[in-house]
Amino acid sequence: MSYTIEYNRKVYRVPGDYGAVSYLLLARRGDNNVFGSDGLRCKDWYLDFFGDVSDFWPHVGRNAGHCHGGGLQRAVGWMETKYISVEEYIAIYRKAFWAAKPITDIFSDFEVTLNVVLRGDKEKAMLLSDCHGPERAAALDKFFKEKGGSLSLSQNWYGNKTSEGFVVVKDLEGFREALQLKGRVSSLVEGFGGTVRIDFEAIGMRRRRRW
Amino acid sequence: MVTVIEKGRAVYVIQDEQFSDADYLLLVKEVPAGHNDADGEACKWTALGFSWEYSLWPTIGERAGLCEVGRIRVNGDADLFNRSGVETMEGYVALYRDAISKAVDGKKLFERFSVTACIKIPGEGVAGVKDDCERDGLVKFLSEHLGVGTVPESEAIVPIDSLSAFKAAYSLSLRFPGADNRNPFVRFELKLKERVCEKVCV
């Protein structure tokens, strides 16, 4: 049976308008059946949740429900996994929630990048100007120019031409803008087989297995 | 803000001879916040899930989260200021663990509840359903339970009196949840029969 393994999690507090606080949850997850070239299971940090506390706990509860049938398990050591109960999963998240850090700490913990891939065909790569919704495409273009990034032409495994680019987000304003852009632009781009995603690469947290 | 008050729950277990895993039917009795009539029109039994046990838990977990943030009150009074009942996720999960461990045989469902499926077919009728598979499922269900060839034009109320019919109607209700007025929708109504002496809620 295939299942998801949760390795780690981090919760950040994001201050909003009028004293409101939102929460950002990053979870390090991977599949039990997917291995990398180093012989270890592939795992990555994902943006699991961003929103109000009233939506945070229902989201955690739904994930906790997947633990009951073993669809979501905990990592133990390098290769082992452990079944956890719904209550144990909730307890882990209670601890993580109360240890929530201010959002500004995310930039010392992770290198945050906004990645955009626009997929074209064999002849021509898709450009931002080809997207439907010129306002949204212009907003993405403006963000790339302001942050010093650009979309460059490339080619994927199947020989289709793509235009790809990434921008390193270094401050809270940029992060907010990247989140908004992801929400606005993903429907625009994903319809054509492209992707818009925010990647989190942990700084100084990578451990290598000693053989 | 409290949106729903959960008044009770009941779990039925349906063991199919063909399969080793049993299906669980999870029912909850809810009333929208602000309604004081505990057993009136506003208070309804609804089916939360009908599946293997482990498939029910994500739904239970999500509701536990809603309970934690105060959008579901459990066994509480309709008075929002009465701070009684379960208020934590752990408490809510424990409540459902208990309910599932005391699951009642599915055959008793129809002794306690009168179950009807309300099917509405607006616009072009059954022909308006674009997906072949979904249309065939709907026509098959209607012809089996209302008689061959009597597919209604607009609305039908089908009494459900067997577990197989219940299973078919439940899967139809998932396919036709009725989000808009253009597509057909199938909705359940579970009403507690009169003179039910035994305790239904766990």
Side-chain angles (χ1 to χ4, degrees):
Chain A
M1 193 187 82
S2 183
Y3 54 88
T4 304
I5 305 166
E6 190 166 309
Y7 296 87
N8 203 353
R9 68 224 49 84
K10 276 181 182 286
V11 184
Y12 293 95
R13 281 193 309 273
V14 186
D17 297 333
Y18 307 108
V21 179
S22 299
Y23 289 87
L24 180 88
L25 168 62
L26 300 182
R28 195 181 192 210
R29 294 199 181 129
D31 196 276
N32 74 316
N33 284 328
V34 182
F35 288 83
S37 55
D38 56 359
L40 295 175
R41 288 192 175 104
C42 295
K43 45 188 119 32
D44 220 336
W45 285 93
Y46 295 97
L47 174 61
D48 195 34
F49 173 81
F50 176 59
D52 195 43
V53 67
S54 62
D55 295 325
F56 179 86
W57 288 112
H59 178 84
V60 170
R62 178 158 275 276
N63 285 346
H66 290 292
C67 293
H68 184 83
L72 185 61
Q73 299 192 14
R74 241 188 115 171
V76 178
W78 287 104
M79 295 298 284
E80 301 301 313
T81 62
K82 187 188 169 194
Y83 171 88
I84 52 169
S85 67
V86 178
E87 289 87 344
E88 281 169 326
Y89 189 87
I90 294 168
I92 290 168
Y93 270 82
R94 279 201 191 284
K95 213 171 160 186
F97 182 77
W98 291 116
K101 295 202 253 179
I103 187 66
T104 44
D105 286 11
I106 200 171
F107 303 106
S108 54
D109 294 343
F110 296 95
E111 187 185 69
V112 185
T113 51
L114 177 73
N115 284 279
V116 176
V117 178
L118 301 174
R119 213 187 86 177
D121 51 27
K122 301 268 183 204
E123 279 80 40
K124 186 177 171 291
M126 189 177 160
L127 301 172
L128 275 177
S129 54
D130 299 332
C131 293
H132 297 288
E135 286 173 17
R136 288 181 285 178
L140 187 63
D141 191 37
K142 190 180 161 212
F143 184 74
F144 264 75
K145 278 179 184 157
E146 277 177 6
K147 305 287 173 193
S150 64
L151 291 173
S152 57
L153 293 176
S154 181
Q155 193 168 325
N156 70 6
W157 176 261
Y158 303 101
N160 289 326
K161 293 197 167 49
T162 59
S163 48
E164 300 176 11
F166 72 92
V167 174
V168 180
V169 180
K170 289 177 181 162
D171 53 12
L172 186 54
E173 280 309 305
F175 186 63
R176 276 182 203 279
E177 217 172 321
L179 277 174
Q180 279 178 358
L181 271 173
K182 186 184 178 300
R184 286 177 70 195
V185 182
S186 54
S187 63
L188 199 73
V189 170
E190 280 163 13
F192 298 96
T195 52
V196 178
R197 55 169 211 274
I198 300 176
D199 279 350
F200 301 89
E201 183 72 34
I203 299 169
M205 287 166 68
R206 181 171 287 178
R207 289 189 297 163
R208 293 249 177 247
R209 187 182 190 184
R210 274 175 271 165
W211 294 93
Chain B
M1 186 187 164
V2 178
T3 50
V4 163
I5 295 164
E6 191 177 312
K7 290 282 184 185
R9 65 214 62 77
V11 184
Y12 291 90
V13 58
I14 294 129
Q15 182 72 55
D16 198 325
E17 285 172 8
Q18 285 180 321
F19 306 106
S20 58
D21 287 328
D23 280 331
Y24 285 77
L25 171 67
L26 182 56
L27 304 177
V28 286
K29 186 183 176 190
E30 290 180 328
V31 60
H35 286 264
N36 282 317
D37 50 342
D39 294 305
E41 278 293 305
C43 193
K44 279 180 183 164
W45 281 92
T46 47
L48 270 192
F50 183 32
S51 184
W52 293 337
E53 190 205 340
Y54 75 82
S55 302
L56 298 177
W57 278 95
T59 311
I60 297 169
E62 190 175 359
R63 288 176 67 87
L66 290 169
C67 176
E68 172 86 22
V69 298
R71 276 152 60 183
I72 289 180
R73 284 283 310 282
V74 179
N75 290 349
D77 207 303
D79 173 14
L80 305 186
F81 299 101
N82 181 3
R83 307 283 294 169
S84 63
V86 175
E87 287 178 357
T88 62
M89 289 176 90
E90 288 85 350
Y92 195 91
V93 167
L95 210 62
Y96 274 81
R97 278 204 193 284
D98 185 42
I100 288 172
S101 71
K102 290 176 187 164
V104 182
D105 187 4
K107 287 167 191 160
K108 290 189 176 174
L109 174 70
F110 302 103
E111 290 173 18
R112 297 173 178 185
F113 290 95
S114 62
V115 187
T116 49
C118 176
I119 300 168
K120 283 194 178 175
I121 307 165
E124 301 164 43
V126 182
V129 183
K130 284 174 187 163
D131 190 301
D132 291 349
C133 188
E134 289 184 351
R135 186 175 56 239
D136 291 351
L138 190 60
V139 170
K140 190 181 168 208
F141 178 80
L142 288 170
S143 55
E144 271 178 12
H145 295 94
L146 292 174
V148 180
T150 54
V151 176
E153 288 297 316
S154 60
E155 191 175 327
I157 291 172
V158 182
I160 308 279
D161 51 6
S162 71
L163 283 171
S164 60
F166 188 87
K167 218 169 187 172
Y170 186 80
S171 64
L172 277 179
S173 74
L174 294 181
R175 279 190 222 157
F176 302 106
D180 53 45
N181 291 325
R182 284 174 296 165
N183 293 316
F185 85 85
V186 180
R187 198 187 59 204
F188 269 109
E189 275 198 16
L190 291 143
K191 277 187 183 161
L192 208 59
K193 284 183 182 171
E194 284 176 19
R195 293 178 193 170
V196 175
C197 301
E198 38 188 333
K199 199 182 165 193
V200 175
C201 300
V202 178

